[in-house]
Amino acid sequence: MGVTSGAISQQIRLLEQRVGTALFTRTRYGVRLTEAGLRVHPELVRAFDQIERSLDNLEAAADRKTVTVSTVPSFAASWLAPRLGRFTDAHPDVEVRVEASGKLVDLRRDRIDVAIRHGLGDYPGFEIRHLMTPVFLPVASPNLLQAGPPIEAPEDCLNYPLLQDSDRADWRLWLKAHDVADDPRAERGSSFDDDFTLIRAAISGQGLALVRDIYAAEEIASGRLALALDCIWPSRFAYYSLTLGAGLRPEVEAFVAWLDEEARGSPLLKGGYALRCCSLSSGAAIMSSEQG
């Protein structure tokens, strides 16, 4: 314990004075517990054991390598989570904790190691890395497209139910960019707060959805979704990783490097689609929705 026997005896006397009863008695064979001491001894042993276990847990947690990541639910579910196993396979000693929420977080206050954000890249005070710039694709269930009227030009999409973003702006802007006259049908249909839910509705055949390629890639590859029209539309918003800058722990640096590598390998970002059907009007060529 690092203390003398005299110091321990002094602490015992102070404890006995505080509780008002003797806890130890001296005999010629040494020190023994009194009846009062025997009554409290089992509970005190359990308490000290619990303190020891708690300290062991604290030491183990200090040695554990963890990376806490903050991003929006749609990106976490559609892009990050399906790929995360590749990071854990390469770094089995690192635990990744994903906080999927639409609320903004303070990296310092909330102890976030990496934030993945969708915007214009203007994040002062952070180390910023561009991950990917998504494009928007009109997609739908293959069964819906097969049963419905043909889609040969952007205006033909208006013959289908349109699944909307929460602001009901994406379809209107997309049609305007392709010189389609204003039409009230462009803002009708069910609306959804995030791309993940929007894609689920499209898979179930509820209508056409205008979604980011990074969210629809696996659904198109599996045949659950199909391109309604090979006519993509670029967004001026991109995905960025944010960290607090220099002095990152090795496991955080490894995760950020892995993110960069995965982003470069995203399937639809390799030029899998030609930019067709896009005689875009000046001033309306770039998607302006900030959702996601």
Side-chain angles (χ1 to χ4, degrees), residues 100 148 160 255:
Y160 284 80
F255 185 82

Side-chain angles (χ1 to χ4, degrees), residues 158-234:
L158 292 168
N159 297 323
Y160 284 80
L162 301 182
L163 303 175
Q164 304 283 349
D165 64 289
S166 58
D167 296 326
R168 299 183 180 274
D170 288 353
W171 276 111
R172 176 175 52 80
L173 293 171
W174 184 82
L175 290 164
K176 182 179 180 181
H178 295 297
D179 296 319
V180 178
D182 288 343
D183 190 304
R185 291 176 293 175
E187 297 184 27
R188 293 177 183 167
S190 301
S191 65
F192 302 87
D193 283 337
D194 63 80
D195 286 334
F196 183 71
T197 311
L198 186 63
I199 287 173
R200 300 277 79 74
I203 290 173
S204 68
Q206 296 180 40
L208 270 61
L210 196 61
V211 296
R212 296 171 181 86
D213 57 353
I214 60 170
Y215 294 162
E218 304 223 354
E219 308 298 345
I220 292 173
S222 68
R224 290 188 290 270
L225 283 178
L227 273 178
L229 192 67
D230 192 355
C231 186
I232 66 176
W233 192 27

Side-chain angles (χ1 to χ4, degrees), residues 123-135:
Y123 304 103
F126 297 101
E127 181 81 17
I128 303 167
R129 297 172 180 83
H130 175 269
L131 294 177
M132 63 194 79
T133 302
V135 295

Side-chain angles (χ1 to χ4, degrees), residues 12 54 150 196 202 271:
I12 290 175
S54 298
F196 183 71

Side-chain angles (χ1 to χ4, degrees), residues 247-269:
L248 297 179
R249 303 192 311 279
E251 58 269 26
V252 178
E253 290 182 346
F255 185 82
V256 170
W258 172 81
L259 272 180
D260 291 341
E261 182 179 350
E262 285 291 326
R264 287 194 300 270
S266 290
L268 291 189
L269 303 177

Side-chain angles (χ1 to χ4, degrees), residues 98-132:
V98 179
E99 293 190 359
S101 171
K103 69 176 183 179
L104 291 177
V105 296
D106 184 313
L107 270 67
R108 290 183 178 86
R109 182 195 64 207
D110 298 324
R111 298 174 182 252
I112 301 296
D113 296 308
V114 183
I116 302 172
R117 289 290 172 259
H118 181 241
L120 296 173
D122 183 18
Y123 304 103
F126 297 101
E127 181 81 17
I128 303 167
R129 297 172 180 83
H130 175 269
L131 294 177
M132 63 194 79

